[in-house]
C-alpha cells in the first residue's frame, strides 16, 4: 500500500513523497481435518509401511492416501465409495496440505481388499500409547475395562461366521475409563469366545481388570492374582460358592445401588484346588430392584468402591455406541473381510484422534458430539479449540479514509 504526500523546501519548492506500507501477512491456518491428522508421525508410518511391504500392489495409491481416505470416511459419515470419493475430491484445494491426491473408486476398492491390516493396527497401537502418555494422571489407580461388541454382517457376507445369534465379526476392546481411550483392540470372527481374547491381554501389577461374566475362566483369574493384579467380574449362576467369612460395611449405599451382602467365599464344587486364591462375593441391589452378584480377589477396597468399579463399565458402552453409529451395515465400504477389518481399525484410529485433539485443545464434550461437530467443519480452516464457538456477528474492521487507491496530498 503506497501513500503520496507533497512536501516543501525552504526555497518554496515542492516535491512528492511516496510512502510504501507493507500489507499485514496472513497467518496460515490448517483445516480441522489436517489438524486432527497431526499426531500421526509420517516418518514412523512410512517405516511401518516399508516393513510390511504395504505399497507392493497399489504403488499409485499409497498407504498414507488410503489411511487418510478411510479416516475421512469415518469423520464425514460417508456411507459408500461414491459419496466418499465425491466428497474428498470436491475439496482438492486441501489435498496438498494433507499429502494426498485425488481418489479413484476402483483403486480404493482394490486397496481395501489387498492392503495389509497390520499397517492400520500398528498405527492404532502408536496412537494409543501416545494418548495414554498425554492423559495419564499421576497417582490415579489403574483400571482396565474388557468387553466385546458384535459387528453384524447378516446375509451380505456369506463368509462371515455364525455364533448362534448373529452372523458377522466381533470387536474386542481393552479400555481405560480414566483417560477415556481404548488401549488395545482385536477383530475376530463372531464365534470366537470372549475369554480366549481376554487371556491374551498383558497383565500389569496393581491394575484392576473389570469384565462381564462372559470372561469366566479360573486359570486366567489365577494368573491375574499371581501377577499382583485384581479383577472384578459378575458371577455366573452356575458357579457354586460357600461363604466362609462375613464382612461388615459401614457404608452400603452407592450411586444407584445398595450393598446387601459382602462375604469371603470359596468354591463349593470339586474345583476348589483349581482356584487357590482369595475370593470375595458382593451382592448389590439396584434402584430398579434387580440383584447383581460380583466376584473379586480384592480384599482391600470397600464393597461400595468395588460395585462402583463394575458400574463404570457403562463407559465402554458409550464407545461401542460411537462405533455402531459410524459402522452401520449400510456404511461398509466393502464386503470382503479385509475391507471390514480396515474400516473398523480406521474408526478406532479416528476415535483416538478425536480424543487426542480434545485433550490438546481443552474441548470438554462427549466424543460423539465432537464427531458430529467435526463432520460439519472438516475442511474449514479454523482451530479445533474454537470449534464450539460461533463466529463473531459484527467483526471489527479497520476503517479507511476514502478509497485505498486515492492519492493523499498533505500541505505544510
Amino acid at each position: 500500500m503506497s501513500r503520496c504526500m507533497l512536501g516543501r523546501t525552504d526555497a518554496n519548492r515542492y516535491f512528492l513523497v511516496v510512502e510504501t506500507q507493507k500489507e499485514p501477512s496472513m497467518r496460515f491456518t490448517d483445516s480441522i481435518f489436517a489438524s486432527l491428522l497431526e499426531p500421526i508421525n509420517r516418518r514412523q508410518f512410512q517405516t511401518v509401511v516399508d516393513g510390511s511391504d504395504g505399497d507392493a500392489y497399489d504403488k499409485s495409491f499409497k498407504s498414507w492416501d488410503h489411511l487418510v481416505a478411510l479416516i475421512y470416511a469415518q469423520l464425514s459419515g460417508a456411507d459408500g465409495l461414491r459419496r466418499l470419493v465425491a466428497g474428498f475430491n470436491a475439496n482438492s484445494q486441501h489435498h496438498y496440505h494433507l499429502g494426498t491426491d485425488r481418489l479413484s473408486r476402483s483403486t480404493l476398492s482394490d486397496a481395501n481388499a489387498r492392503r495389509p491390516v497390520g499397517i492400520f493396527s500398528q498405527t492404532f497401537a502408536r496412537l494409543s500409547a501416545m494418548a495414554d502418555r498425554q492423559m495419564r494422571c499421576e497417582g490415579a489407580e489403574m483400571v482396565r475395562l474388557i468387553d466385546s461388541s458384535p459387528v453384524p454382517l447378516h446375509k451380505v457376507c456369506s463368509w462371515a461366521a455364525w455364533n448362534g445369534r448373529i452372523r458377522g465379526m466381533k470387536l474386542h476392546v481393552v479400555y481405560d475409563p480414566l483417560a477415556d481411550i481404548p488401549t488395545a483392540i482385536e477383530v475376530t470372527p463372531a464365534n470366537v469366545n470372549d475369554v480366549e481374547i481376554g487371556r491374551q491381554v498383558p497383565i500389569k501389577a496393581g491394575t484392576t481388570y473389570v469384565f462381564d461374566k462372559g470372561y469366566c475362566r479360573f486359570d486366567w483369574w489365577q494368573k491375574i492374582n499371581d501377577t499382583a493384579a485384581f479383577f472384578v467380574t459378575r458371577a455366573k449362576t452356575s458357579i457354586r460358592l460357600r461363604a466362609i467369612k462375613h464382612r461388615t460395611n459401614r457404608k452400603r449405599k452407592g450411586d444407584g445401588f445398595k450393598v446387601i451382602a459382602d462375604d469371603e467365599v470359596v468354591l463349593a464344587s470339586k474345583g476348589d484346588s483349581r482356584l487357590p486364591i482369595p475370593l470375595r462375593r458382593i451382592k448389590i441391589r439396584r434402584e430398579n430392584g434387580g440383584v447383581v452378584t460380583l466376584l473379586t480377589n480384592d480384599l482391600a477396597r470397600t464393597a461400595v468402591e468395588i460395585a462402583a468399579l463394575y458400574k463404570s463399565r457403562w463407559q465402554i458402552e458409550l464407545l461401542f455406541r460411537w462405533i455402531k453409529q459410524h459402522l452401520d451395515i449400510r456404511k461398509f465400504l466393502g464386503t470382503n473381510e479385509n475391507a471390514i477389518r480396515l474400516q473398523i481399525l480406521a474408526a478406532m484410529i479416528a476415535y483416538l484422534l478425536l480424543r487426542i485433539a480434545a485433550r490438546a485443545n481443552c474441548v470438554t464434550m462427549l466424543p460423539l458430539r465432537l464427531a458430529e461437530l467435526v463432520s460439519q467443519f472438516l475442511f474449514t480452516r479454523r482451530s479445533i479449540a474454537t470449534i464450539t464457538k460461533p463466529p463473531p456477528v459484527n467483526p471489527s474492521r479497520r476503517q479507511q479514509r476514502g478509497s485505498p487507491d486515492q492519492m493523499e496530498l498533505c500541505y505544510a
Side-chain angles (χ1 to χ4, degrees):
M1 178 178 179
S2 300
R3 182 182 180 186
C4 300
M5 295 183 299
L6 196 64
R8 187 179 64 177
T9 62
D10 295 338
N12 293 330
R13 295 181 179 179
Y14 292 90
F15 60 92
L16 187 64
V17 178
V18 180
E19 295 183 358
T20 303
Q21 298 179 357
K22 294 183 179 180
E23 293 288 344
S25 58
M26 297 296 293
R27 183 178 180 182
F28 175 78
T29 303
D30 253 336
S31 64
I32 288 183
F33 187 32
S35 300
L36 287 173
L37 295 174
E38 286 181 359
I40 304 178
N41 190 304
R42 290 288 303 274
R43 185 171 299 176
Q44 294 179 355
F45 180 81
Q46 190 59 41
T47 302
V48 174
V49 174
D50 296 338
S52 59
D53 204 10
D55 295 335
Y57 298 101
D58 301 282
K59 297 182 179 180
S60 61
F61 186 60
K62 302 294 184 180
S63 297
W64 175 253
D65 302 331
H66 195 185
L67 178 66
V68 172
L70 292 188
I71 294 177
Y72 168 78
Q74 294 298 322
L75 297 177
S76 64
D79 56 358
L81 289 177
R82 294 182 184 275
R83 182 177 176 182
L84 165 60
V85 172
F88 191 81
N89 290 341
N91 296 275
S92 58
Q93 70 275 16
H94 295 273
H95 292 176
Y96 173 79
H97 297 286
L98 294 174
T100 61
D101 206 343
R102 292 178 60 86
L103 291 179
S104 172
R105 185 164 57 91
S106 59
T107 304
L108 180 57
S109 178
D110 293 340
N112 283 338
R114 298 186 297 192
R115 187 80 67 190
V117 180
I119 298 175
F120 283 57
S121 60
Q122 293 186 49
T123 301
F124 169 84
R126 291 179 182 272
L127 286 175
S128 178
M130 177 191 301
D132 183 57
R133 290 191 299 269
Q134 291 180 355
M135 303 179 186
R136 187 180 303 167
C137 299
E138 295 295 335
E141 59 182 2
M142 299 287 290
V143 179
R144 294 292 182 268
L145 311 179
I146 305 176
D147 205 352
S148 66
S149 180
V151 181
L153 301 177
H154 304 297
K155 298 181 180 180
V156 177
C157 305
S158 58
W159 51 264
W162 170 261
N163 66 352
R165 292 183 300 172
I166 66 164
R167 182 183 300 277
M169 306 186 73
K170 189 183 292 186
L171 174 63
H172 306 263
V173 177
V174 181
Y175 183 77
D176 183 354
L178 300 179
D180 192 16
I181 57 170
T183 59
I185 60 173
E186 185 72 27
V187 182
T188 65
N191 58 355
V192 174
N193 198 335
D194 292 347
V195 71
E196 297 299 327
I197 303 301
R199 294 172 60 189
Q200 302 176 13
V201 176
I203 306 300
K204 297 182 180 179
T207 304
T208 302
Y209 297 90
V210 184
F211 41 83
D212 205 354
K213 57 185 177 181
Y215 295 85
C216 181
R217 186 69 180 255
F218 291 161
D219 57 348
W220 184 45
W221 293 0
Q222 183 175 349
K223 178 183 176 182
I224 295 176
N225 185 81
D226 294 342
T227 319
F230 307 97
F231 65 86
V232 178
T233 184
R234 188 171 179 177
K236 282 187 174 182
T237 56
S238 59
I239 299 179
R240 299 178 59 187
L241 301 169
R242 183 178 71 252
I244 60 174
K245 180 181 178 181
H246 297 282
R247 299 169 63 101
T248 58
N249 295 276
R250 295 182 179 180
K251 184 179 180 181
R252 290 183 172 271
K253 289 187 178 181
D255 186 11
F257 61 88
K258 179 181 180 181
V259 178
I260 59 177
D262 184 5
D263 305 313
E264 294 182 19
V265 297
V266 295
L267 290 175
S269 61
K270 296 180 180 180
D272 292 358
S273 60
R274 297 175 54 193
L275 196 61
I277 63 175
L279 273 182
R280 186 176 169 192
R281 180 181 61 190
I282 300 173
K283 292 185 178 181
I284 61 175
R285 186 183 300 278
R286 297 174 176 174
E287 289 183 345
N288 59 4
V291 177
V292 178
T293 302
L294 304 179
L295 286 179
T296 180
N297 66 330
D298 190 346
L299 304 180
R301 287 189 177 97
T302 65
V304 173
E305 291 174 344
I306 292 176
L309 280 176
Y310 189 80
K311 186 180 178 181
S312 66
R313 287 185 64 255
W314 68 269
Q315 297 186 47
I316 199 172
E317 298 297 335
L318 294 179
L319 171 65
F320 289 143
R321 176 188 174 189
W322 187 89
I323 296 172
K324 290 177 180 179
Q325 291 194 3
H326 286 74
L327 289 179
D328 187 76
I329 186 62
R330 295 169 298 176
K331 296 182 180 179
F332 281 118
L333 304 177
T335 57
N336 57 82
E337 182 177 357
N338 197 79
I340 294 175
R341 286 177 179 270
L342 288 177
Q343 187 170 346
I344 294 175
L345 288 170
M348 301 305 297
I349 292 173
Y351 182 87
L352 281 179
L353 292 175
L354 289 173
R355 298 306 301 142
I356 293 174
R359 178 60 181 259
N361 295 275
C362 301
V363 178
T364 57
M365 65 170 57
L366 293 175
L368 183 62
R369 299 292 174 257
L370 179 60
E372 293 174 349
L373 203 56
V374 164
S375 65
Q376 303 299 321
F377 301 99
L378 203 55
F379 284 110
T380 304
R381 297 190 185 277
R382 61 188 299 183
S383 172
I384 299 178
T386 62
I387 193 171
T388 59
K389 300 178 182 179
V393 179
N394 295 315
S396 59
R397 296 180 180 178
R398 185 180 62 182
Q399 295 182 356
Q400 297 179 352
R401 297 180 179 179
S403 173
D405 299 327
Q406 181 178 357
M407 180 182 294
E408 182 178 354
L409 300 177
C410 300
Y411 295 95

